[in-house]
Amino acid sequence: MEKKSNKKLYVISGSSGVGKGTVLKGFMAKHPDFMLSISCTTRKPREGEIDGVNYFFVNKEDFMKSVEEDKFLEWAEFAGNCYGTKKKFIQQCLNDGMNVILEIETNGALQVKKKMPEAVLIFIAPPSLEALEQRLRGRHTEDEETIQRRLHEVKKELECAKKYDYRVINDDLENAISELEKIIAGEQEKC
Ligand code: ADP
Ligand code: 5GP
């Protein structure tokens, strides 16, 4: 994808339950000028999730139609559901001079890096695998089968993380948010 402005694309990944959403919420509260991309997914909404706010919730048929029509910058299957980032929205935001953040899994992140090498990849890591599992279970949003599917992805994700530009350990939440802020501020200075 052609990039016409000096604004940056930041890609945040991390295993399910590591706290990406929580860290990003903290970051976005302090930096409302950044645009957090809204993905499409075939996953069913969790309690409290709103269509067009958390995700665009679509059925598999519509999702695959968008794939065929090459509408995604990246897409991937994760733990039994499809997730994708619409190209048009990201291009529009960058052209409009916004810094954009994608919160996506590792296969999609590496697709983005291939197409847009200037994208900055940041991996959020847990302080330990035990803490990760505790957080995922403690969130009470997934059934046991889904938890197992998500934990099954962790090894692959940690392997992909080696290809990322930065790593932030989400041990203390405030430290993780300020670490993310420092990384992004450093990258913004390079613009
Ligand atoms: P993800 O978006 O990576 O799947 P969430 O942001 O939903 O993860 O966080 C999973 C759970 O972990 C939530 O209950 C959240 O409150 C908790 N959590 C997030 N960060 C921390 C942290 N630094 N320490 C302890 N618990 C955390
Ligand atoms: P969840 O179902 O917990 O919301 O998300 C599951 C995983 O899908 C997370 O790792 C999340 O970052 C990732 N994800 C969310 N949106 C996208 C997307 O547009 N593309 C890709 N590749 N992954 C996504």
Side-chain angles (χ1 to χ4, degrees), residues 52-63:
V53 175
N54 304 94
Y55 280 105
F56 294 108
F57 294 99
V58 298
N59 62 36
K60 184 88 187 255
E61 197 186 335
D62 288 347
F63 190 97

Side-chain angles (χ1 to χ4, degrees), residues 14 53 62 65 83 89 95-96 100 119 124 172 191:
V53 175
D62 288 347
K65 192 163 172 271
Y83 298 83
F89 177 75
N95 287 346
D96 287 348
V100 183
I124 312 276
D172 176 78
C191 282

Side-chain angles (χ1 to χ4, degrees), residues 15-22 135 139 170-173:
S15 300
S16 194
V18 73
K20 326 176 270 305
T22 310
R135 287 180 194 173
R139 195 171 63 185
N170 181 21
D171 192 350
D172 176 78
L173 178 61

Side-chain angles (χ1 to χ4, degrees), residues 13-24 46 103 124 127 131-132 134-142 150 169-174 176:
S13 306
S15 300
S16 194
V18 73
K20 326 176 270 305
T22 310
V23 171
L24 273 174
R46 294 181 186 132
E103 192 247 275
I124 312 276
L132 175 70
Q134 258 175 29
R135 287 180 194 173
L136 182 55
R137 290 186 182 284
R139 195 171 63 185
H140 299 296
T141 49
E142 266 76 31
R150 286 171 179 243
I169 297 178
N170 181 21
D171 192 350
D172 176 78
L173 178 61
E174 289 310 316

Side-chain angles (χ1 to χ4, degrees), residues 18 71 86 105 132 138 147 191:
V18 73
K71 290 200 169 150
K86 283 278 171 83
E105 54 72 60
L132 175 70
I147 288 171
C191 282

Side-chain angles (χ1 to χ4, degrees), residues 9-81:
L9 184 60
Y10 294 93
V11 179
I12 314 285
S13 306
S15 300
S16 194
V18 73
K20 326 176 270 305
T22 310
V23 171
L24 273 174
K25 199 172 161 199
F27 178 87
M28 292 302 293
K30 294 183 184 173
H31 303 274
D33 50 320
F34 280 67
M35 176 61 70
L36 184 59
S37 168
I38 304 170
S39 299
C40 297
T41 183
T42 60
R43 168 167 80 60
K44 296 278 166 286
R46 294 181 186 132
E47 206 180 313
E49 283 186 327
I50 300 167
D51 187 38
V53 175
N54 304 94
Y55 280 105
F56 294 108
F57 294 99
V58 298
N59 62 36
K60 184 88 187 255
E61 197 186 335
D62 288 347
F63 190 97
M64 293 319 292
K65 192 163 172 271
S66 293
V67 171
E68 278 158 30
E69 292 171 350
D70 196 28
K71 290 200 169 150
F72 290 121
L73 169 62
E74 63 70 36
W75 73 276
E77 202 166 331
F78 176 85
N81 293 299

